Amino acid sequence: MKVLFVYNPLSGMTQIKGHLYSIINIFSKAEFDLNVHATTGHLDAFNVVKDKAREYDMIVCSGGDGTLNEVVNGIMISKADVRLGYIPAGSTNDYATSLGLSKNMLKAADLIVSGEPTNYDVGTFNDKFFIYVGAFGAFTNVAYNTPQETKNIVGHLAYVLEGIKSIASIKAFHLKIITDDLQFDEPFIYGMVTNTLSVGGIYRLKKDRVALNDGLFEVMLIRPPKSAIELSSITSFLLGIDETSPLISIIKTSKIFFETNEPLPWTLDGEFGGNLDKVKITNLKQAIKIIDHKKAV
Ligand SMILES: [Mg+2]
């Protein structure tokens, strides 16, 4: 098995350094024909995987959401028929948790050696790809000043909304939104397109109502609050205290189109996704093979 192991030496709280020899040892014992690449900066993981993925049977990625996003983009653009192994190493790992992957790096490496892949959905975002969340809003741009905070976009949103003194200071964007069967033409302060069971560890979706390989996204749209009570209904929803809010729509769709008069700041998998006035998102059903379960004996 030809394996490319791409890891981010700087990612997150869970440093890979103390585990690197043990992980490589696990891969060597499995007789992987292994190439190891430590990423050197932004887009390095993307470029390496895009250029090399077709030479391999498997790509193993270790890092946080940003590294995973780059590796997924590399695999998708290369159109390589590879399986993906993921050893999560970031500070928050909503997607890895949604897949049921171990936070213990050696256990995650063991599963990559002995496990089997499942086909999971990938999102397209104009000419890019994302694996679990694309979001826009008044607050998404602020977070990039503090990279670690960016990882927890929902926690950040709830925190910002709780701290707001005046409702008038919340910036709303007038959007035209088209989904599989709905249309909106009104102001929103925040929107999030997800394929995950949680975002930021706070915003949780019911496991029996969300599947990561059903070809559908969950979409959360937040309308501007007109009173302090409406504002608190939004934060209560985001923090999981209330199950519904009159200002929040949750919908399922396989594709969604956003259009605004002014560019919106977007995040993709917790990284900056650009300032854009037109965004087309589609769900590529079961487009990537991720190792997530043990072989049936
Ligand atoms: Mg889904």
Side-chain angles (χ1 to χ4, degrees):
M1 173 103 57
K2 283 199 76 179
V3 179
L4 175 61
F5 177 30
V6 177
Y7 74 95
N8 180 350
L10 302 175
S11 81
M13 296 191 294
T14 318
Q15 294 285 330
I16 194 171
K17 281 175 192 158
H19 303 290
L20 194 55
Y21 293 123
S22 303
I23 292 168
I24 290 174
N25 201 21
I26 289 167
F27 291 163
S28 295
K29 279 185 182 158
E31 298 186 356
F32 281 2
D33 179 359
L34 189 68
N35 257 315
V36 181
H37 181 88
T39 60
T40 56
H42 185 54
L43 293 182
D44 184 54
F46 166 69
N47 285 317
V48 166
V49 173
K50 172 177 63 88
D51 294 343
K52 304 279 185 188
R54 293 174 76 97
E55 300 166 24
Y56 292 89
D57 306 301
M58 187 195 306
I59 311 293
V60 175
C61 165
S62 185
D65 292 340
T67 312
L68 179 65
N69 176 281
E70 289 193 25
V71 167
V72 168
N73 270 274
I75 290 172
M76 295 306 295
I77 287 187
S78 72
K79 296 190 168 71
D81 181 23
V82 290
R83 46 172 71 183
L84 172 62
Y86 183 36
I87 302 174
S91 48
T92 60
N93 285 290
D94 294 299
Y95 189 67
T97 306
S98 299
L99 294 179
L101 301 181
S102 178
K103 292 189 179 81
N104 177 309
M105 295 183 121
L106 302 187
K107 283 186 181 166
D110 275 331
L111 182 67
I112 287 165
V113 162
S114 62
E116 295 267 276
T118 301
N119 292 340
Y120 284 104
D121 299 348
V122 175
T124 67
F125 178 94
N126 292 348
D127 57 351
K128 294 177 185 167
F129 299 89
F130 67 101
I131 193 74
Y132 85 98
V133 59
F136 72 84
F139 315 107
T140 43
N141 56 341
V142 179
Y144 302 109
N145 300 325
T146 50
Q148 287 311 313
E149 299 290 319
T150 314
K151 309 301 177 195
N152 191 342
I153 55 173
V154 171
H156 183 77
L157 174 63
Y159 172 81
V160 170
L161 286 175
E162 278 192 316
I164 273 170
K165 299 282 187 292
S166 149
I167 294 158
S169 68
I170 303 172
K171 186 164 171 54
F173 302 91
H174 194 100
L175 280 129
K176 283 184 185 161
I177 301 173
I178 303 169
T179 75
D180 288 341
D181 37 35
L182 293 171
Q183 292 199 24
F184 302 90
D185 190 351
E186 56 181 304
F188 292 96
I189 61 167
Y190 199 85
M192 190 159 72
V193 180
T194 59
N195 194 43
T196 182
L197 297 178
S198 70
V199 181
I202 298 172
Y203 173 66
R204 290 174 194 285
L205 293 147
K206 294 257 167 26
K207 203 173 182 176
D208 56 345
R209 293 186 206 159
V210 174
L212 307 189
N213 55 3
D214 61 352
L216 296 172
F217 295 115
E218 282 66 41
V219 180
M220 179 181 75
L221 298 170
I222 307 182
R223 293 178 180 80
K226 295 184 195 72
S227 68
I229 290 170
E230 287 192 344
L231 177 61
S232 76
S233 96
I234 295 172
T235 46
S236 293
F237 178 88
L238 293 175
L239 297 171
I241 298 161
D242 290 341
E243 285 204 15
T244 58
S245 161
L247 298 184
I248 297 180
S249 292
I250 304 281
I251 50 182
K252 282 181 187 278
T253 188
S254 69
K255 55 187 180 298
I256 187 163
F257 179 71
F258 298 87
E259 187 174 3
T260 51
N261 294 327
E262 54 183 320
L264 291 182
W266 281 82
T267 76
L268 281 186
D269 294 339
E271 307 290 316
F272 184 53
N275 290 305
L276 301 158
D277 59 356
K278 286 191 182 73
V279 169
K280 189 182 177 194
I281 291 173
T282 55
N283 188 309
L284 298 179
K285 189 176 180 180
Q286 304 186 2
I288 197 159
K289 290 183 268 189
I290 305 178
I291 299 165
D292 69 334
H293 66 280
K294 291 232 188 293
K295 272 179 205 163
V297 182

